Amino acid sequence: MKLATLRNGRPDGHLVIVSKDLTRFASAGRIASNLQAALDDWERCAPILRAVSDQLNNGEIAGMPLDPREALAPLPRAYQWIDGSGYMVHLDRVRSLKGSRDEELQDERPLMYQGGSDSFVAPMAPIVVPEDGLAVDFEAEVVVVTGHVPMRPNREQASAAIRLIGICNDVSLRRLVLNDLQNGFGFFHAKPATSFAPIFVTPDELGENWKDNRLHLKVRVHVNNSLYGQPNAGKDMRFDFADLIVAAAQTRELGVGTIIGSGTVANAHDEILPLKHDGVGFGCIAEARTAEKSKIGKARTPFLALGDIVRINAVDDDNRSVFGSIEQAVKLLAPGG
Amino acid sequence: MKLATLRNGRPDGHLVIVSKDLTRFASAGRIASNLQAALDDWERCAPILRAVSDQLNNGEIAGMPLDPREALAPLPRAYQWIDGSGYMVHLDRVRSLKGSRDEELQDERPLMYQGGSDSFVAPMAPIVVPEDGLAVDFEAEVVVVTGHVPMRPNREQASAAIRLIGICNDVSLRRLVLNDLQNGFGFFHAKPATSFAPIFVTPDELGENWKDNRLHLKVRVHVNNSLYGQPNAGKDMRFDFADLIVAAAQTRELGVGTIIGSGTVANAHDEILPLKHDGVGFGCIAEARTAEKSKIGKARTPFLALGDIVRINAVDDDNRSVFGSIEQAVKLLAPGG
């Protein structure tokens, strides 16, 4: 089934069940007050939500037309957001930028950082930056939402805890990355609020596109209608989501509704921008720039400017959007907030 | 007023109002379903909670006896936990341990890291470690809970957003700190779940003990009944809570219920353990050990061993506990969780 959260003036929004083709929704308000509440009581809620989903998809319930501009992030706020680094290609490409010190460590176990989860950004809301010149970048990622995970789980427990799958834009302010990492406490100011596509889906809904704890779909990124990348999230993922969950829970349990990110989706290739027809490209600009430096001696693709629009979609073999679209303009913070 | 959350089998527990002397409570269940819900609707809830608090303290409501073993963390889970570094003495003492690279940076603006907030530990629950030998340490800290804070607030907005004050034990696994910081992504595995004293209080409740955005109380730490420290949280706090909030919101807004930590409370002195009568001592073992290295050439105070008990209290001039006690034994994770 497919779930979304619509704006209703409350911080956690209104949980709805969405049709497979993303055109219609039915309210889940009588089943759970919001998505976190449904996850907290998943054994009871999931079968009821699924029954409504079936009725919506077979036409027994007409539903209402879905306006993606009314969608919030599916979890508008969450108790935990941990971003991993599943794709070594991404780390290899940006490593020089970030000044990482221990390359060998990163091949043995995934890096991860604790992200802010108090106020996620809606799929079509702007990326608000407090000043110009911060080198704004997107990072196209896959995420999973977990149930409770005990400390030191095995891979089977980790895999079984995956409740929902989605995609996000882990917005990064590249000019602040070095300061964050040099101060020694890790990412903070360089990682402002993360944005999410409107729909989270259950693993079964994805059929063959979810296997081996990986999402086997292209994640397609456009900037102002230019294709920047369409790497396949199922390829070159060194650490799958079971690995990431196991790693995250080495010294802690994970609460219900924890979101785990894949890191920027990246496939190995030697392309640079602009992409040739059906090129694979990049899930973030930093990678495109380092590829340019290595191939033509100079980074030429600029970071996002004010007014630029980034669009991120995961698409199936028929180019249909699976989670709905992230579509965000970069905007300057208005005086006085 | 003083607020606590009691165990009721649900993840967010049951909000109660506690008498000034911490002996009695009245349910707040008819005002708000839990503390986060009260914070989400603070303008409406705070006056009603305060009226019940007044009735409880003047005897109009008898209340029920408070059993601190039934208390959860006041926010058993939160949408954001940001730990700052307000006390430069702490950073100065442990800097060599952590291998921080840019000393000048730290004097100009406070360091901070994003902590895990999905499952806080109850005041009297054990510190559960997955294996022995991780160099378990406590960190005695002051925290504030905020309302909504816009991006790039001024100090007045930051100060006005402080809703509640409390204390916590930011448990640290010192053996994992270096790995976390060397990998470049910051604290993660070295910072397992944080524990909180049972009571959060409003700023007005503290009278003269809350001023200049600082808590003017001794934070007293015992390990197995030996006094390890009683630094005054109002002294030597270079960055006050308004500074910490302003710094945290440089590239993001802060959602309602964000918890901001002071970093380990630390006062300047040249003592080592064991403390002489009324010594000031330390808010964590790492500081005690570096003081020993510098003064006697060798660290002799061990980190916490399995079975050790750490007790943390903030006390007023009459030695009365203001937030209730954190009292935790170190315990090994049971096989199978």
Side-chain angles (χ1 to χ4, degrees):
Chain A
M1 60 186 159
K2 301 194 164 193
L3 301 171
T5 295
L6 302 185
R7 207 180 302 278
N8 70 347
R10 299 290 304 160
D12 299 301
H14 170 208
L15 180 63
V16 301
I17 300 134
V18 178
S19 63
K20 282 185 192 297
D21 65 0
L22 311 187
T23 61
R24 295 170 302 126
F25 74 90
S27 171
R30 278 182 295 181
I31 304 164
S33 56
N34 55 59
L35 181 50
Q36 180 67 46
L39 289 162
D40 284 338
D41 201 10
W42 193 244
E43 298 303 312
R44 184 186 70 79
C45 291
I48 316 176
L49 292 167
R50 196 175 307 274
V52 176
S53 169
D54 290 345
Q55 291 174 318
L56 185 67
N57 284 317
N58 69 23
E60 282 176 66
I61 297 175
M64 305 270 287
L66 180 69
D67 178 355
R69 289 166 300 190
E70 289 302 306
L72 300 174
L75 282 170
R77 54 184 181 175
Y79 294 107
Q80 182 154 250
W81 159 223
I82 296 170
D83 198 8
S85 53
Y87 301 88
M88 300 306 292
V89 176
H90 170 68
L91 278 184
D92 289 342
R93 288 201 184 115
V94 301
R95 193 167 270 166
S96 62
L97 285 181
K98 292 188 179 164
S100 179
R101 279 172 290 180
D102 192 338
E103 305 196 357
E104 285 171 30
L105 204 67
Q106 296 166 4
D107 293 345
E108 288 160 31
R109 55 178 194 202
L111 296 185
M112 41 191 48
Y113 73 91
Q114 193 91 41
S117 55
D118 59 310
S119 41
F120 291 134
V121 178
M124 300 188 73
I127 297 168
V128 177
V129 292
E131 59 189 272
D132 202 3
L134 293 178
V136 184
D137 200 355
F138 55 87
E139 293 195 347
E141 305 197 1
V142 180
V143 299
V144 299
V145 181
T146 75
H148 178 261
V149 177
M151 199 188 295
R152 295 266 163 124
N154 58 39
R155 275 181 56 85
E156 288 64 38
Q157 288 172 300
S159 183
I162 297 172
R163 299 272 174 277
L164 298 167
I165 296 142
I167 59 170
C168 77
N169 176 9
D170 177 37
V171 177
S172 298
L173 306 175
R174 300 288 179 201
R175 190 159 75 73
L176 305 182
V177 166
L178 196 65
N179 271 353
D180 271 4
L181 300 192
Q182 275 189 339
N183 78 31
F185 277 26
F187 286 121
F188 190 89
H189 304 295
K191 295 288 187 179
T194 305
S195 322
F196 286 79
I199 315 283
F200 279 169
V201 309
T202 49
D204 63 292
E205 178 78 28
L206 291 164
E208 280 301 294
N209 294 323
W210 178 257
K211 62 180 178 209
D212 307 328
N213 300 294
R214 292 174 177 85
L215 179 71
H216 295 268
L217 289 175
K218 288 181 183 175
V219 178
R220 194 168 279 165
V221 184
H222 287 86
V223 175
N224 301 330
N225 297 319
S226 296
L227 180 66
Y228 270 38
Q230 48 182 344
N232 190 314
K235 275 184 62 183
D236 298 329
M237 191 184 195
R238 168 93 58 101
F239 300 108
D240 66 26
F241 279 104
D243 293 326
L244 295 175
I245 293 168
V246 165
Q250 281 306 289
T251 62
R252 57 170 86 186
E253 54 183 5
L254 307 180
V256 173
T258 290
I259 304 175
I260 305 268
S262 65
T264 306
V265 177
N267 293 167
H269 61 70
D270 67 350
E271 301 165 6
I272 57 172
L273 296 183
L275 290 187
K276 296 207 174 74
H277 177 70
D278 230 34
V280 171
F282 307 94
C284 69
I285 294 176
E287 284 184 41
R289 288 171 59 87
T290 50
E292 287 160 2
K293 270 186 215 160
S294 114
K295 199 154 179 177
I296 59 173
K298 156 164 190 286
R300 67 184 179 193
T301 302
F303 289 108
L304 297 175
L306 295 176
D308 278 352
I309 293 170
V310 59
R311 197 150 43 90
I312 303 175
N313 262 286
V315 295
D316 66 15
D317 290 344
D318 298 319
N319 284 320
R320 286 177 303 211
S321 176
V322 173
F323 307 100
S325 188
I326 296 172
E327 190 169 329
Q328 304 186 274
V330 181
K331 196 182 145 187
L332 199 61
L333 179 68
Chain B
M1 59 187 160
K2 300 193 164 194
L3 301 172
T5 295
L6 302 185
R7 207 180 301 279
N8 70 347
R10 297 291 304 160
D12 299 301
H14 171 208
L15 179 63
V16 301
I17 300 133
V18 177
S19 62
K20 282 185 191 299
D21 65 0
L22 312 187
T23 61
R24 294 171 302 125
F25 75 89
S27 171
R30 278 181 295 180
I31 303 164
S33 57
N34 55 60
L35 181 51
Q36 179 67 45
L39 289 162
D40 284 337
D41 201 10
W42 193 243
E43 298 304 311
R44 184 187 70 80
C45 291
I48 316 176
L49 292 168
R50 198 175 306 275
V52 176
S53 170
D54 290 344
Q55 290 174 316
L56 185 67
N57 284 316
N58 69 23
E60 281 177 65
I61 296 175
M64 304 271 286
L66 179 68
D67 178 353
R69 289 166 299 190
E70 289 301 307
L72 300 174
L75 283 170
R77 53 184 182 175
Y79 293 107
Q80 183 153 250
W81 159 224
I82 296 170
D83 199 7
S85 53
Y87 300 89
M88 300 307 291
V89 177
H90 170 69
L91 277 185
D92 288 343
R93 288 201 184 115
V94 301
R95 194 167 270 165
S96 61
L97 285 180
K98 291 187 179 166
S100 180
R101 279 170 290 178
D102 192 339
E103 305 197 356
E104 284 171 31
L105 203 65
Q106 296 167 5
D107 293 345
E108 289 159 32
R109 56 177 193 202
L111 297 185
M112 42 192 47
Y113 73 90
Q114 193 91 41
S117 55
D118 60 309
S119 41
F120 291 134
V121 178
M124 302 188 73
I127 297 168
V128 177
V129 293
E131 59 190 271
D132 202 1
L134 293 178
V136 184
D137 200 355
F138 55 87
E139 292 196 347
E141 305 197 3
V142 179
V143 299
V144 300
V145 181
T146 74
H148 178 260
V149 177
M151 199 188 294
R152 294 266 164 124
N154 57 39
R155 276 181 55 83
E156 288 63 39
Q157 289 172 300
S159 183
I162 297 172
R163 298 273 174 275
L164 298 167
I165 296 142
I167 59 170
C168 77
N169 176 10
D170 176 38
V171 176
S172 297
L173 305 174
R174 299 290 178 198
R175 190 159 74 73
L176 305 182
V177 166
L178 195 65
N179 269 354
D180 271 4
L181 299 192
Q182 275 189 339
N183 79 31
F185 277 26
F187 286 121
F188 191 89
H189 304 295
K191 295 288 188 179
T194 305
S195 323
F196 287 79
I199 316 283
F200 279 168
V201 309
T202 48
D204 63 291
E205 178 78 28
L206 291 164
E208 280 301 293
N209 294 323
W210 178 257
K211 61 180 178 210
D212 307 327
N213 299 295
R214 293 174 176 83
L215 179 72
H216 295 267
L217 290 175
K218 289 181 182 175
V219 179
R220 194 168 278 165
V221 184
H222 288 86
V223 175
N224 301 330
N225 297 319
S226 297
L227 179 66
Y228 270 39
Q230 48 182 344
N232 189 314
K235 277 185 60 183
D236 298 329
M237 192 184 195
R238 167 93 58 101
F239 300 109
D240 67 24
F241 279 104
D243 293 325
L244 295 176
I245 293 168
V246 166
Q250 281 306 289
T251 61
R252 57 169 88 186
E253 54 182 6
L254 307 180
V256 172
T258 289
I259 304 175
I260 305 268
S262 64
T264 306
V265 177
N267 292 167
H269 61 70
D270 66 351
E271 303 164 5
I272 56 172
L273 295 184
L275 291 187
K276 296 205 173 75
H277 176 69
D278 230 33
V280 172
F282 306 95
C284 68
I285 294 176
E287 285 184 42
R289 289 171 59 88
T290 49
E292 288 160 2
K293 270 186 213 160
S294 113
K295 201 155 177 177
I296 58 171
K298 156 164 190 286
R300 68 184 178 193
T301 301
F303 288 108
L304 296 175
L306 295 175
D308 278 353
I309 292 171
V310 60
R311 197 149 44 89
I312 304 176
N313 261 286
V315 294
D316 65 16
D317 290 345
D318 299 318
N319 284 320
R320 285 177 305 209
S321 177
V322 173
F323 306 101
S325 187
I326 296 171
E327 190 169 329
Q328 304 187 274
V330 181
K331 196 181 144 188
L332 198 61
L333 178 69

